[in-house]
Each structure stands twice: as structure tokens, then as C-alpha cells.
Amino acid sequence: MLVFGLTGGIGSGKSTVAARFRERGLPVVDADQVARDAVAPGSDGLAELVAAFGPGVLDPDGALDRKRLAAVVFADAAERKRLEAIVHPRVRALTIARFAALAGAGEPLACNEVPLLVESGLAAALRPLVVVSVPEAVQLERTVARDGCTADEARARVRAQLPLADKVALADHVIDNSGDRAATCRRADEVLDTICTHAGVDPARYPR
């Protein structure tokens, strides 16, 4: 099974493209969802986080309070490393298991949607690489609208990531999401069909 990568930047519309791929029946494994599942209520991952950082990282329902945990770890490099040592191996294991299940079910093609794919050094392993891109002004506008943050906060979030231009430079396929959803979906369809053809998979397997 060929697994290709999908990434972008904050506010670029990566989730729109992932949704279009899913609409066509392509399996998409979302790294953010896998990370949530790795520390879901009742999981060993969550239990280990509570043991490491205390019950204060839980919300009233017993789920992980990510903002509280972030306040603990992001001011302290040693604590951040401890968090990563707990979470990252579980995320890797879950990701491998999900793709193994897809391969076992006979799927010839799948997508791994990873926000920090390039930053994590995964570009070479997830070829072809699809990058969803918009101008920075659009990133800022969409981030403010989506998250209810200030323009300065949105700018800080955008600048904290690798510039989209750097990701585009590494891409095999670029999807411009600065227009409307219909235009983005048309481009996503073209990209998926091209990937299918190069992988020897009939694009008709994923009908539009």
C-alpha cells in the first residue's frame, strides 16, 4: 500500500482537502486524531500523563485538558521531553497499526494527514507530498475567524511554523486553497487522480 503525505500551514485549509479525499472513499489517517486517541480517557497514555504531571492536567470529565498540560510543559524543556517520551511512541504505534489494518483490508492507497509533517522530518517517507497553500494574509484572516484570536496571536501562530513557501518547495503536488471550496476540491481531485495513476491504481476506485 502506498501512503502519501498531506500537510499545509495553520489556516491553509488542509482539512478541506482531507475531507474531499474522504468523500471519494480514500482512507485518510489524521495525525491529530491519532494523538487524541493515544491519550483518550481510559487509555494507558492518559494514565501515564496523570502519573507524570498530576491530576491537574485533567478536565472535570476526566479527559486531558490540553491547555493546562501545555501551560506545564511548554515553559520547561525537560517537561516537554517527558511529555514527548510518553506520547510519541504511542502515536507511532497507533499510526502503524491503522495503516497495517488498511493494508490488510486490501487498500492500495492511503493518505497521512500531518500538520507538522515537514517539521517532523517525514517528507521523504511520505511521498508523494501534497501541500495545501494560501497566501499568508489568507492564513491570518482564516485563523482569526476560526479560533477567535487577535491578529497578533494569529500572526504568532503562523510564524511559529515553517513558512508555507518552504513546504511548497518540497511538495510533489500543491493545492492552492485561496479560492472557494469548489475550486479547491477540483484541484484536490486532479491531484488524487494523478497520484492514483502513478501508483498504478484506477482513479475510478475513488469516484468523484
Side-chain angles (χ1 to χ4, degrees):
M1 182 178 71
L2 174 68
V3 179
F4 69 91
L6 171 65
T7 195
I10 186 170
S12 68
K14 173 177 50 64
S15 59
T16 299
V17 173
R20 178 56 184 165
F21 288 164
R22 289 190 181 96
E23 284 171 8
R24 292 186 58 181
L26 179 77
V28 179
V29 174
D30 176 0
D32 278 348
Q33 184 60 53
V34 173
R36 287 191 287 272
D37 293 345
V39 293
S43 68
D44 291 343
L46 183 59
E48 194 168 341
L49 287 180
V50 172
F53 301 104
V57 298
L58 296 177
D59 67 17
D61 296 324
L64 182 64
D65 187 320
R66 293 177 180 276
K67 287 186 178 177
R68 286 187 190 173
L69 180 59
V72 172
V73 304
F74 287 116
D76 187 324
E79 294 288 77
R80 191 161 63 249
K81 281 187 167 53
R82 187 152 66 130
L83 169 65
E84 291 169 353
I86 294 169
V87 174
H88 287 186
R90 287 175 167 81
V91 170
R92 278 195 297 273
L94 267 180
T95 301
I96 289 168
R98 291 187 182 178
F99 283 118
L102 290 171
E107 292 288 349
L109 190 64
C111 173
N112 196 4
E113 178 190 354
V114 187
L116 300 179
L117 187 155
V118 175
E119 291 91 335
S120 301
L122 295 172
L126 292 170
R127 294 286 184 183
L129 175 61
V130 180
V131 173
V132 185
S133 179
V134 294
E136 185 175 293
V138 176
Q139 276 188 282
L140 294 171
E141 180 184 325
R142 289 178 178 172
T143 301
V144 168
R146 185 191 68 190
D147 298 344
C149 59
T150 67
D152 284 343
E153 288 169 338
R155 193 172 294 106
R157 293 180 193 182
V158 169
R159 300 282 164 80
Q161 296 185 347
L162 191 69
L164 258 175
D166 292 2
K167 299 180 183 184
V168 166
L170 292 172
D172 298 292
H173 303 282
V174 177
I175 297 176
D176 179 359
N177 187 34
S178 55
D180 60 17
R181 187 180 188 280
T184 298
C185 288
R186 283 195 297 274
R187 176 60 183 149
D189 285 342
E190 292 171 1
V191 167
L192 179 54
D193 289 352
T194 299
I195 291 172
C196 285
T197 300
H198 288 169
V201 178
D202 185 352
R205 181 184 178 97
Y206 310 107
R208 298 191 184 193

